[in-house]
PDB file of all heavy atoms in Angstrom:
ATOM      1  N   THR A  11    -206.165  27.312 129.672  1.00  0.00           N
ATOM      2  CA  THR A  11    -205.100  28.402 129.895  1.00  0.00           C
ATOM      3  C   THR A  11    -204.046  28.232 128.877  1.00  0.00           C
ATOM      4  O   THR A  11    -203.879  27.189 128.121  1.00  0.00           O
ATOM      5  CB  THR A  11    -204.577  28.183 131.259  1.00  0.00           C
ATOM      6  OG1 THR A  11    -203.973  26.901 131.406  1.00  0.00           O
ATOM      7  CG2 THR A  11    -205.522  28.414 132.425  1.00  0.00           C
ATOM      8  N   GLY A  12    -203.232  29.349 128.792  1.00  0.00           N
ATOM      9  CA  GLY A  12    -202.100  29.292 127.875  1.00  0.00           C
ATOM     10  C   GLY A  12    -202.504  28.986 126.394  1.00  0.00           C
ATOM     11  O   GLY A  12    -203.479  29.473 125.905  1.00  0.00           O
ATOM     12  N   TRP A  13    -201.749  28.089 125.784  1.00  0.00           N
ATOM     13  CA  TRP A  13    -201.920  27.783 124.267  1.00  0.00           C
ATOM     14  C   TRP A  13    -203.163  26.916 124.133  1.00  0.00           C
ATOM     15  O   TRP A  13    -203.755  26.962 122.990  1.00  0.00           O
ATOM     16  CB  TRP A  13    -200.648  27.147 123.795  1.00  0.00           C
ATOM     17  CG  TRP A  13    -199.538  28.074 123.602  1.00  0.00           C
ATOM     18  CD1 TRP A  13    -198.368  28.113 124.500  1.00  0.00           C
ATOM     19  CD2 TRP A  13    -199.343  29.157 122.813  1.00  0.00           C
ATOM     20  NE1 TRP A  13    -197.559  29.151 124.133  1.00  0.00           N
ATOM     21  CE2 TRP A  13    -198.170  29.760 123.094  1.00  0.00           C
ATOM     22  CE3 TRP A  13    -200.168  29.608 121.783  1.00  0.00           C
ATOM     23  CZ2 TRP A  13    -197.750  30.888 122.403  1.00  0.00           C
ATOM     24  CZ3 TRP A  13    -199.824  30.746 121.037  1.00  0.00           C
ATOM     25  CH2 TRP A  13    -198.496  31.316 121.325  1.00  0.00           C
ATOM     26  N   VAL A  14    -203.696  26.275 125.143  1.00  0.00           N
ATOM     27  CA  VAL A  14    -204.921  25.655 124.907  1.00  0.00           C
ATOM     28  C   VAL A  14    -206.145  26.505 124.727  1.00  0.00           C
ATOM     29  O   VAL A  14    -206.973  26.411 123.878  1.00  0.00           O
ATOM     30  CB  VAL A  14    -205.165  24.634 126.141  1.00  0.00           C
ATOM     31  CG1 VAL A  14    -206.631  23.967 126.065  1.00  0.00           C
ATOM     32  CG2 VAL A  14    -204.150  23.553 126.303  1.00  0.00           C
ATOM     33  N   ALA A  15    -206.085  27.615 125.529  1.00  0.00           N
ATOM     34  CA  ALA A  15    -207.069  28.662 125.326  1.00  0.00           C
ATOM     35  C   ALA A  15    -206.931  29.357 124.069  1.00  0.00           C
ATOM     36  O   ALA A  15    -207.984  29.630 123.340  1.00  0.00           O
ATOM     37  CB  ALA A  15    -206.980  29.743 126.426  1.00  0.00           C
ATOM     38  N   VAL A  16    -205.681  29.519 123.511  1.00  0.00           N
ATOM     39  CA  VAL A  16    -205.538  30.208 122.275  1.00  0.00           C
ATOM     40  C   VAL A  16    -206.046  29.254 121.087  1.00  0.00           C
ATOM     41  O   VAL A  16    -206.766  29.704 120.187  1.00  0.00           O
ATOM     42  CB  VAL A  16    -204.106  30.499 121.979  1.00  0.00           C
ATOM     43  CG1 VAL A  16    -203.841  31.065 120.601  1.00  0.00           C
ATOM     44  CG2 VAL A  16    -203.621  31.514 123.005  1.00  0.00           C
ATOM     45  N   ALA A  17    -205.697  28.046 121.221  1.00  0.00           N
ATOM     46  CA  ALA A  17    -206.107  26.934 120.172  1.00  0.00           C
ATOM     47  C   ALA A  17    -207.617  26.947 120.069  1.00  0.00           C
ATOM     48  O   ALA A  17    -208.234  26.836 119.025  1.00  0.00           O
ATOM     49  CB  ALA A  17    -205.523  25.631 120.487  1.00  0.00           C
ATOM     50  N   THR A  18    -208.274  26.864 121.402  1.00  0.00           N
ATOM     51  CA  THR A  18    -209.674  26.779 121.340  1.00  0.00           C
ATOM     52  C   THR A  18    -210.346  28.029 120.764  1.00  0.00           C
ATOM     53  O   THR A  18    -211.343  27.961 120.044  1.00  0.00           O
ATOM     54  CB  THR A  18    -210.198  26.692 122.831  1.00  0.00           C
ATOM     55  OG1 THR A  18    -209.573  25.478 123.375  1.00  0.00           O
ATOM     56  CG2 THR A  18    -211.692  26.563 122.951  1.00  0.00           C
ATOM     57  N   SER A  19    -209.830  29.164 121.060  1.00  0.00           N
ATOM     58  CA  SER A  19    -210.296  30.510 120.522  1.00  0.00           C
ATOM     59  C   SER A  19    -210.084  30.495 118.984  1.00  0.00           C
ATOM     60  O   SER A  19    -211.095  30.916 118.234  1.00  0.00           O
ATOM     61  CB  SER A  19    -209.509  31.662 121.083  1.00  0.00           C
ATOM     62  OG  SER A  19    -209.977  32.818 120.541  1.00  0.00           O
ATOM     63  N   VAL A  20    -209.050  29.973 118.380  1.00  0.00           N
ATOM     64  CA  VAL A  20    -208.868  30.052 117.024  1.00  0.00           C
ATOM     65  C   VAL A  20    -209.851  29.052 116.343  1.00  0.00           C
ATOM     66  O   VAL A  20    -210.421  29.478 115.175  1.00  0.00           O
ATOM     67  CB  VAL A  20    -207.356  29.492 116.672  1.00  0.00           C
ATOM     68  CG1 VAL A  20    -207.188  29.182 115.219  1.00  0.00           C
ATOM     69  CG2 VAL A  20    -206.296  30.540 117.094  1.00  0.00           C
ATOM     70  N   VAL A  21    -210.091  27.876 116.882  1.00  0.00           N
ATOM     71  CA  VAL A  21    -210.966  27.000 116.239  1.00  0.00           C
ATOM     72  C   VAL A  21    -212.399  27.455 116.229  1.00  0.00           C
ATOM     73  O   VAL A  21    -213.088  27.466 115.292  1.00  0.00           O
ATOM     74  CB  VAL A  21    -210.827  25.506 116.912  1.00  0.00           C
ATOM     75  CG1 VAL A  21    -211.987  24.638 116.286  1.00  0.00           C
ATOM     76  CG2 VAL A  21    -209.546  24.962 116.551  1.00  0.00           C
ATOM     77  N   VAL A  22    -212.809  27.920 117.505  1.00  0.00           N
ATOM     78  CA  VAL A  22    -214.244  28.253 117.722  1.00  0.00           C
ATOM     79  C   VAL A  22    -214.515  29.545 117.003  1.00  0.00           C
ATOM     80  O   VAL A  22    -215.526  29.761 116.241  1.00  0.00           O
ATOM     81  CB  VAL A  22    -214.577  28.223 119.194  1.00  0.00           C
ATOM     82  CG1 VAL A  22    -216.014  28.872 119.383  1.00  0.00           C
ATOM     83  CG2 VAL A  22    -214.472  26.978 119.782  1.00  0.00           C
ATOM     84  N   PHE A  23    -213.696  30.700 117.294  1.00  0.00           N
ATOM     85  CA  PHE A  23    -213.989  31.885 116.816  1.00  0.00           C
ATOM     86  C   PHE A  23    -213.375  32.271 115.471  1.00  0.00           C
ATOM     87  O   PHE A  23    -213.995  32.749 114.538  1.00  0.00           O
ATOM     88  CB  PHE A  23    -213.612  33.054 117.863  1.00  0.00           C
ATOM     89  CG  PHE A  23    -214.381  32.886 119.059  1.00  0.00           C
ATOM     90  CD1 PHE A  23    -213.724  32.348 120.236  1.00  0.00           C
ATOM     91  CD2 PHE A  23    -215.718  33.169 119.175  1.00  0.00           C
ATOM     92  CE1 PHE A  23    -214.465  32.236 121.463  1.00  0.00           C
ATOM     93  CE2 PHE A  23    -216.391  33.059 120.413  1.00  0.00           C
ATOM     94  CZ  PHE A  23    -215.790  32.575 121.527  1.00  0.00           C
ATOM     95  N   GLY A  24    -212.074  32.003 115.362  1.00  0.00           N
ATOM     96  CA  GLY A  24    -211.391  32.256 114.075  1.00  0.00           C
ATOM     97  C   GLY A  24    -211.933  31.389 112.823  1.00  0.00           C
ATOM     98  O   GLY A  24    -212.320  32.044 111.929  1.00  0.00           O
ATOM     99  N   MET A  25    -211.957  30.094 113.078  1.00  0.00           N
ATOM    100  CA  MET A  25    -212.549  29.308 111.982  1.00  0.00           C
ATOM    101  C   MET A  25    -214.027  29.420 111.871  1.00  0.00           C
ATOM    102  O   MET A  25    -214.517  29.570 110.755  1.00  0.00           O
ATOM    103  CB  MET A  25    -212.203  27.826 112.222  1.00  0.00           C
ATOM    104  CG  MET A  25    -210.683  27.519 112.098  1.00  0.00           C
ATOM    105  SD  MET A  25    -210.296  25.758 112.661  1.00  0.00           S
ATOM    106  CE  MET A  25    -211.236  24.775 111.596  1.00  0.00           C
ATOM    107  N   GLY A  26    -214.673  29.464 113.053  1.00  0.00           N
ATOM    108  CA  GLY A  26    -216.136  29.563 112.969  1.00  0.00           C
ATOM    109  C   GLY A  26    -216.704  30.821 112.321  1.00  0.00           C
ATOM    110  O   GLY A  26    -217.586  30.739 111.457  1.00  0.00           O
ATOM    111  N   LEU A  27    -216.176  31.966 112.691  1.00  0.00           N
ATOM    112  CA  LEU A  27    -216.581  33.130 112.113  1.00  0.00           C
ATOM    113  C   LEU A  27    -216.177  33.412 110.730  1.00  0.00           C
ATOM    114  O   LEU A  27    -216.928  33.809 109.839  1.00  0.00           O
ATOM    115  CB  LEU A  27    -216.043  34.376 112.885  1.00  0.00           C
ATOM    116  CG  LEU A  27    -216.678  34.507 114.413  1.00  0.00           C
ATOM    117  CD1 LEU A  27    -216.010  35.722 115.100  1.00  0.00           C
ATOM    118  CD2 LEU A  27    -218.205  34.686 114.341  1.00  0.00           C
ATOM    119  N   SER A  28    -215.015  32.779 110.405  1.00  0.00           N
ATOM    120  CA  SER A  28    -214.629  32.842 108.905  1.00  0.00           C
ATOM    121  C   SER A  28    -215.487  31.983 108.024  1.00  0.00           C
ATOM    122  O   SER A  28    -215.807  32.425 106.977  1.00  0.00           O
ATOM    123  CB  SER A  28    -213.105  32.299 108.842  1.00  0.00           C
ATOM    124  OG  SER A  28    -212.216  33.160 109.559  1.00  0.00           O
ATOM    125  N   ILE A  29    -215.917  30.836 108.481  1.00  0.00           N
ATOM    126  CA  ILE A  29    -216.871  29.979 107.761  1.00  0.00           C
ATOM    127  C   ILE A  29    -218.144  30.718 107.428  1.00  0.00           C
ATOM    128  O   ILE A  29    -218.691  30.726 106.309  1.00  0.00           O
ATOM    129  CB  ILE A  29    -217.117  28.694 108.522  1.00  0.00           C
ATOM    130  CG1 ILE A  29    -215.813  27.781 108.473  1.00  0.00           C
ATOM    131  CG2 ILE A  29    -218.215  27.922 107.906  1.00  0.00           C
ATOM    132  CD1 ILE A  29    -215.934  26.625 109.422  1.00  0.00           C
ATOM    133  N   VAL A  30    -218.676  31.293 108.597  1.00  0.00           N
ATOM    134  CA  VAL A  30    -219.978  32.031 108.400  1.00  0.00           C
ATOM    135  C   VAL A  30    -219.808  33.220 107.436  1.00  0.00           C
ATOM    136  O   VAL A  30    -220.685  33.497 106.495  1.00  0.00           O
ATOM    137  CB  VAL A  30    -220.583  32.461 109.799  1.00  0.00           C
ATOM    138  CG1 VAL A  30    -221.835  33.298 109.544  1.00  0.00           C
ATOM    139  CG2 VAL A  30    -220.822  31.189 110.645  1.00  0.00           C
ATOM    140  N   TYR A  31    -218.787  34.052 107.694  1.00  0.00           N
ATOM    141  CA  TYR A  31    -218.547  35.255 106.759  1.00  0.00           C
ATOM    142  C   TYR A  31    -218.441  34.859 105.332  1.00  0.00           C
ATOM    143  O   TYR A  31    -219.103  35.400 104.456  1.00  0.00           O
ATOM    144  CB  TYR A  31    -217.264  35.939 107.253  1.00  0.00           C
ATOM    145  CG  TYR A  31    -216.888  36.989 106.319  1.00  0.00           C
ATOM    146  CD1 TYR A  31    -217.393  38.216 106.250  1.00  0.00           C
ATOM    147  CD2 TYR A  31    -215.882  36.717 105.403  1.00  0.00           C
ATOM    148  CE1 TYR A  31    -217.095  39.225 105.324  1.00  0.00           C
ATOM    149  CE2 TYR A  31    -215.344  37.673 104.417  1.00  0.00           C
ATOM    150  CZ  TYR A  31    -216.077  39.026 104.399  1.00  0.00           C
ATOM    151  OH  TYR A  31    -215.656  39.798 103.462  1.00  0.00           O
ATOM    152  N   LEU A  32    -217.567  33.879 105.014  1.00  0.00           N
ATOM    153  CA  LEU A  32    -217.453  33.462 103.620  1.00  0.00           C
ATOM    154  C   LEU A  32    -218.663  32.853 103.049  1.00  0.00           C
ATOM    155  O   LEU A  32    -218.867  33.093 101.791  1.00  0.00           O
ATOM    156  CB  LEU A  32    -216.178  32.492 103.438  1.00  0.00           C
ATOM    157  CG  LEU A  32    -214.788  33.097 103.717  1.00  0.00           C
ATOM    158  CD1 LEU A  32    -213.773  32.006 103.766  1.00  0.00           C
ATOM    159  CD2 LEU A  32    -214.377  34.111 102.611  1.00  0.00           C
ATOM    160  N   PHE A  33    -219.365  32.075 103.766  1.00  0.00           N
ATOM    161  CA  PHE A  33    -220.514  31.465 103.240  1.00  0.00           C
ATOM    162  C   PHE A  33    -221.582  32.461 102.909  1.00  0.00           C
ATOM    163  O   PHE A  33    -222.312  32.260 101.874  1.00  0.00           O
ATOM    164  CB  PHE A  33    -221.074  30.523 104.241  1.00  0.00           C
ATOM    165  CG  PHE A  33    -222.293  29.672 103.923  1.00  0.00           C
ATOM    166  CD1 PHE A  33    -222.186  28.779 102.830  1.00  0.00           C
ATOM    167  CD2 PHE A  33    -223.504  29.881 104.269  1.00  0.00           C
ATOM    168  CE1 PHE A  33    -223.223  27.995 102.372  1.00  0.00           C
ATOM    169  CE2 PHE A  33    -224.619  29.209 103.986  1.00  0.00           C
ATOM    170  CZ  PHE A  33    -224.464  28.233 102.958  1.00  0.00           C
ATOM    171  N   VAL A  34    -221.587  33.651 103.626  1.00  0.00           N
ATOM    172  CA  VAL A  34    -222.676  34.582 103.346  1.00  0.00           C
ATOM    173  C   VAL A  34    -222.197  35.593 102.318  1.00  0.00           C
ATOM    174  O   VAL A  34    -222.881  35.952 101.450  1.00  0.00           O
ATOM    175  CB  VAL A  34    -223.021  35.341 104.679  1.00  0.00           C
ATOM    176  CG1 VAL A  34    -223.952  36.510 104.367  1.00  0.00           C
ATOM    177  CG2 VAL A  34    -223.745  34.421 105.646  1.00  0.00           C
ATOM    178  N   PHE A  35    -220.929  36.078 102.393  1.00  0.00           N
ATOM    179  CA  PHE A  35    -220.521  37.111 101.608  1.00  0.00           C
ATOM    180  C   PHE A  35    -219.571  36.724 100.321  1.00  0.00           C
ATOM    181  O   PHE A  35    -219.427  37.637  99.421  1.00  0.00           O
ATOM    182  CB  PHE A  35    -219.569  38.183 102.414  1.00  0.00           C
ATOM    183  CG  PHE A  35    -220.611  38.772 103.541  1.00  0.00           C
ATOM    184  CD1 PHE A  35    -220.451  38.389 104.915  1.00  0.00           C
ATOM    185  CD2 PHE A  35    -221.515  39.717 103.135  1.00  0.00           C
ATOM    186  CE1 PHE A  35    -221.237  38.996 105.773  1.00  0.00           C
ATOM    187  CE2 PHE A  35    -222.284  40.351 104.125  1.00  0.00           C
ATOM    188  CZ  PHE A  35    -222.166  39.902 105.561  1.00  0.00           C
ATOM    189  N   ASN A  36    -219.069  35.562 100.305  1.00  0.00           N
ATOM    190  CA  ASN A  36    -218.261  35.194  99.089  1.00  0.00           C
ATOM    191  C   ASN A  36    -219.202  34.830  98.012  1.00  0.00           C
ATOM    192  O   ASN A  36    -219.424  33.581  97.676  1.00  0.00           O
ATOM    193  CB  ASN A  36    -217.260  34.124  99.456  1.00  0.00           C
ATOM    194  CG  ASN A  36    -216.424  33.714  98.271  1.00  0.00           C
ATOM    195  OD1 ASN A  36    -216.302  34.518  97.338  1.00  0.00           O
ATOM    196  ND2 ASN A  36    -215.654  32.661  98.452  1.00  0.00           N
ATOM    197  N   ARG A  37    -219.814  35.725  97.290  1.00  0.00           N
ATOM    198  CA  ARG A  37    -220.818  35.454  96.309  1.00  0.00           C
ATOM    199  C   ARG A  37    -220.211  35.016  94.999  1.00  0.00           C
ATOM    200  O   ARG A  37    -221.008  34.506  94.068  1.00  0.00           O
ATOM    201  CB  ARG A  37    -221.737  36.637  96.194  1.00  0.00           C
ATOM    202  CG  ARG A  37    -222.399  37.209  97.476  1.00  0.00           C
ATOM    203  CD  ARG A  37    -223.289  38.355  97.254  1.00  0.00           C
ATOM    204  NE  ARG A  37    -224.377  38.062  96.224  1.00  0.00           N
ATOM    205  CZ  ARG A  37    -225.149  39.080  95.866  1.00  0.00           C
ATOM    206  NH1 ARG A  37    -224.882  40.320  96.262  1.00  0.00           N
ATOM    207  NH2 ARG A  37    -226.090  38.701  95.022  1.00  0.00           N
ATOM    208  N   ARG A  38    -218.988  35.244  94.776  1.00  0.00           N
ATOM    209  CA  ARG A  38    -218.411  34.899  93.427  1.00  0.00           C
ATOM    210  C   ARG A  38    -218.433  33.434  93.143  1.00  0.00           C
ATOM    211  O   ARG A  38    -218.659  32.898  92.105  1.00  0.00           O
ATOM    212  CB  ARG A  38    -217.025  35.458  93.346  1.00  0.00           C
ATOM    213  CG  ARG A  38    -216.859  36.955  93.168  1.00  0.00           C
ATOM    214  CD  ARG A  38    -215.499  37.294  92.796  1.00  0.00           C
ATOM    215  NE  ARG A  38    -215.325  38.731  92.581  1.00  0.00           N
ATOM    216  CZ  ARG A  38    -214.162  39.475  92.378  1.00  0.00           C
ATOM    217  NH1 ARG A  38    -213.062  38.677  92.365  1.00  0.00           N
ATOM    218  NH2 ARG A  38    -214.105  40.709  92.237  1.00  0.00           N
ATOM    219  N   ASN A  39    -218.035  32.651  94.145  1.00  0.00           N
ATOM    220  CA  ASN A  39    -217.936  31.222  93.923  1.00  0.00           C
ATOM    221  C   ASN A  39    -218.462  30.380  95.195  1.00  0.00           C
ATOM    222  O   ASN A  39    -218.341  29.256  95.185  1.00  0.00           O
ATOM    223  CB  ASN A  39    -216.504  30.827  93.680  1.00  0.00           C
ATOM    224  CG  ASN A  39    -215.507  31.324  94.768  1.00  0.00           C
ATOM    225  OD1 ASN A  39    -215.823  31.416  95.889  1.00  0.00           O
ATOM    226  ND2 ASN A  39    -214.256  31.626  94.421  1.00  0.00           N
ATOM    227  N   ARG A  40    -218.952  31.151  96.096  1.00  0.00           N
ATOM    228  CA  ARG A  40    -219.574  30.530  97.292  1.00  0.00           C
ATOM    229  C   ARG A  40    -218.693  29.527  98.008  1.00  0.00           C
ATOM    230  O   ARG A  40    -219.189  28.613  98.779  1.00  0.00           O
ATOM    231  CB  ARG A  40    -220.988  29.802  96.944  1.00  0.00           C
ATOM    232  CG  ARG A  40    -222.077  30.694  96.566  1.00  0.00           C
ATOM    233  CD  ARG A  40    -222.409  31.655  97.675  1.00  0.00           C
ATOM    234  NE  ARG A  40    -223.445  32.609  97.273  1.00  0.00           N
ATOM    235  CZ  ARG A  40    -223.938  33.631  98.010  1.00  0.00           C
ATOM    236  NH1 ARG A  40    -223.437  33.727  99.134  1.00  0.00           N
ATOM    237  NH2 ARG A  40    -224.956  34.422  97.539  1.00  0.00           N
ATOM    238  N   ARG A  41    -217.517  29.745  98.028  1.00  0.00           N
ATOM    239  CA  ARG A  41    -216.502  28.865  98.784  1.00  0.00           C
ATOM    240  C   ARG A  41    -216.281  29.423 100.136  1.00  0.00           C
ATOM    241  O   ARG A  41    -215.846  30.631 100.281  1.00  0.00           O
ATOM    242  CB  ARG A  41    -215.085  28.787  97.944  1.00  0.00           C
ATOM    243  CG  ARG A  41    -215.230  28.301  96.614  1.00  0.00           C
ATOM    244  CD  ARG A  41    -213.896  28.282  95.901  1.00  0.00           C
ATOM    245  NE  ARG A  41    -213.093  27.149  96.353  1.00  0.00           N
ATOM    246  CZ  ARG A  41    -211.704  27.028  96.047  1.00  0.00           C
ATOM    247  NH1 ARG A  41    -211.132  28.004  95.525  1.00  0.00           N
ATOM    248  NH2 ARG A  41    -211.064  25.993  96.399  1.00  0.00           N
ATOM    249  N   SER A  42    -216.565  28.559 101.055  1.00  0.00           N
ATOM    250  CA  SER A  42    -216.298  29.010 102.424  1.00  0.00           C
ATOM    251  C   SER A  42    -214.891  28.430 102.878  1.00  0.00           C
ATOM    252  O   SER A  42    -214.132  27.898 102.019  1.00  0.00           O
ATOM    253  CB  SER A  42    -217.327  28.460 103.389  1.00  0.00           C
ATOM    254  OG  SER A  42    -217.142  29.074 104.610  1.00  0.00           O
TER     255      SER A  42
END
């Protein structure tokens, strides 16, 4: 609940989806 739920969402979804997106689509330097 509260900020614990927000922090969990940021780590799991914010960071997780960003890692996958950059790994697949950042073709210039493949930096995730």
